[in-house]
Amino acid sequence: MGNIQFKFENKSVVVTGGAAGIGFDITKSFLHAGAEVHVWDYSETALKAADQELSSFKGKVHFSQVDVTNRGSVTAACEKLGKPFHVLINNAGITRDKSFGKMGPEDWDAVINTNLTGLFNVTKLAMEKFDPSAPKRIINISSVVGLYGNFGQTNYAAAKAGVIGMTKTLAKELGRKGFTVNAVAPGFIKTAMTMAMPDEVLKQMAGKVPVNRLGETSDIANACMYLAADEASYINGTVLSVDGGIVL
């Protein structure tokens, strides 16, 4: 059997937090595979930069400034979609890392509202916009910290564990309606945020991973494309850890 080239011509994809970091690589991957992509992001700066970088995809990529914590903002973005879509990537997320002793209610609320309630808002309000006559895919970006916890990330770990619980429940509820719902749990991934750390810290991080490297944003994008593809139609309710074996 030859290499599978995932193709998404005539498919429409929504990516939240799709203008920077992991989300931007997901956006690019689907565009290169032929999809039409709707990029929802809170950052006006990131949206402008993404629009510039993706100028060759004019007509295939659409940008909206969306606050996933605000149901009115999400509703407006859903109305802008026009025609039905097929794949939802719930990627929008933030961190407010502090030890539990130093974590304030505002740190907790910000992360839970964006990473968990935001996922509820988008999924709930976009549900009626899926193409009723085609397979439907929901892919939620969780994290290995949602599976195993992490020092200084009570809020983030709780939100990402909630994402996993929501994924499994929706997989049970929506499977008979033509959906598959899965989660991707990234490990240590090279992003602008992690690459700003000192080299020594990055080497220590890579040294903890059995494959001896940090992950690339493309590793997460590839996992999303696989779970969105027709070839993954019997995968439902799973958590795909993309972490180089860090949790072994």
Side-chain angles (χ1 to χ4, degrees):
M1 196 167 82
N3 290 334
I4 295 173
Q5 292 287 325
F6 296 124
K7 296 190 184 302
F8 290 92
E9 284 90 357
N10 305 315
K11 297 281 188 181
S12 183
V13 182
V14 172
V15 184
T16 70
I22 289 171
F24 187 52
D25 219 309
I26 294 170
T27 294
K28 288 190 291 184
S29 294
F30 276 103
L31 284 169
H32 283 294
E36 184 173 351
V37 181
H38 298 268
V39 178
W40 293 2
D41 206 289
Y42 182 72
S43 168
E44 197 175 348
T45 307
L47 284 165
K48 282 180 180 172
D51 190 8
Q52 253 184 331
E53 189 169 335
L54 299 175
S55 57
S56 61
F57 290 100
K58 281 266 184 281
K60 293 284 282 184
V61 60
H62 314 278
F63 298 95
S64 298
Q65 187 174 18
V66 182
D67 177 358
V68 297
T69 71
N70 183 309
R71 292 184 179 113
S73 177
V74 176
T75 299
C78 287
E79 286 168 358
K80 270 178 67 179
L81 286 174
K83 59 185 180 181
F85 76 106
H86 308 89
V87 180
L88 172 59
I89 312 286
N90 280 307
N91 168 73
I94 61 169
T95 55
R96 294 285 185 275
D97 295 352
K98 286 176 187 169
S99 64
F100 186 68
K102 294 178 181 175
M103 186 174 290
E106 66 284 356
D107 301 313
W108 173 267
D109 290 346
V111 170
I112 296 297
N113 288 344
T114 300
N115 298 19
L116 187 56
T117 307
L119 188 148
F120 169 84
N121 292 340
V122 170
T123 307
K124 183 76 173 173
L125 294 167
M127 191 63 66
E128 299 305 316
K129 299 292 182 179
F130 276 95
D131 187 338
S133 62
K136 295 165 274 290
R137 303 278 188 263
I138 298 174
I139 298 159
N140 301 321
I141 305 300
S142 181
S143 169
V144 289
V145 309
L147 291 164
Y148 301 97
N150 195 33
F151 187 92
Q153 290 194 306
T154 301
N155 47 6
Y156 189 72
K160 292 302 190 180
V163 167
I164 290 170
M166 187 171 167
T167 297
K168 290 181 177 291
T169 303
L170 289 179
K172 289 186 175 184
E173 292 187 7
L174 301 178
R176 68 195 68 190
K177 296 179 180 178
F179 287 84
T180 63
V181 188
N182 293 290
V184 175
F188 292 148
I189 306 297
K190 282 189 205 169
T191 61
M193 189 170 64
T194 54
M195 294 316 289
M197 295 177 181
D199 283 346
E200 194 177 321
V201 175
L202 292 173
K203 281 178 186 169
Q204 284 177 348
M205 288 168 68
K208 293 177 182 176
V209 183
V211 299
N212 204 35
R213 70 170 177 89
L214 300 183
E216 304 286 345
T217 52
S218 59
D219 292 321
I220 309 305
N222 289 338
C224 290
M225 290 184 72
Y226 169 60
L227 290 172
D230 292 340
E231 289 83 353
S233 63
Y234 204 56
I235 298 175
N236 187 37
T238 196
V239 182
L240 178 56
S241 290
V242 184
D243 59 16
I246 186 71
V247 298
L248 296 175

